Amino acid sequence: SGARGWHLFVLLAALIGVAEELLYRGWMMGRLTPLGCPAAVVLTALAHAGYKTALFVWPPSPVTVSYDLASIMLWTAVGGILLGVLRVWSRSVVPAAVAHAAFDLVVY
């Protein structure tokens, strides 16, 4: 049914958010930490924001849709910095993954 499909979509979105946290705040931040925590947080946030923004332009949509790519990039980077600070503060990727999943559940 339609409601079941919607629930599966929301669950998948939340799981994608968890996977993104494992990749960006888990693996990537760990690799960038030798540059210092502030640099690791910012660079990871920018990489994640670039990836998210790219999802809105590729592959090209068959329907003409206009997105404010600068706002998407900015707010995704700000969110990524907050999640990165949470990762550093908690010394674990789990709080960032839970926060990202919760955000996705609310948004979707």
Side-chain angles (χ1 to χ4, degrees), residues 60-81:
S61 174
V63 180
T64 302
V65 181
S66 178
Y67 298 105
D68 183 354
L69 297 177
S71 288
I72 293 168
M73 181 78 176
L74 172 68
W75 291 111
T76 304
V78 168
I81 289 170

Side-chain angles (χ1 to χ4, degrees), residues 20-40:
E20 289 173 352
E21 290 311 308
L22 293 174
L23 174 65
Y24 289 98
R25 256 57 69 181
W27 181 81
M28 186 177 283
M29 264 188 72
R31 297 297 178 264
L32 295 175
T33 298
L35 300 175
C37 280

Side-chain angles (χ1 to χ4, degrees), residues 4-90:
R4 183 170 187 264
W6 181 250
H7 291 138
L8 288 174
F9 170 78
V10 171
L11 177 62
L12 181 60
L15 290 175
I16 289 170
V18 169
E20 289 173 352
E21 290 311 308
L22 293 174
L23 174 65
Y24 289 98
R25 256 57 69 181
W27 181 81
M28 186 177 283
M29 264 188 72
R31 297 297 178 264
L32 295 175
T33 298
L35 300 175
C37 280
V41 168
V42 171
L43 291 172
T44 300
L46 291 175
H48 181 238
Y51 150 76
K52 279 291 195 183
T53 304
L55 293 177
F56 286 89
V57 295
W58 191 87
S61 174
V63 180
T64 302
V65 181
S66 178
Y67 298 105
D68 183 354
L69 297 177
S71 288
I72 293 168
M73 181 78 176
L74 172 68
W75 291 111
T76 304
V78 168
I81 289 170
L82 293 174
L83 291 168
V85 168
L86 180 60
R87 162 75 168 87
V88 170
W89 175 78
S90 69

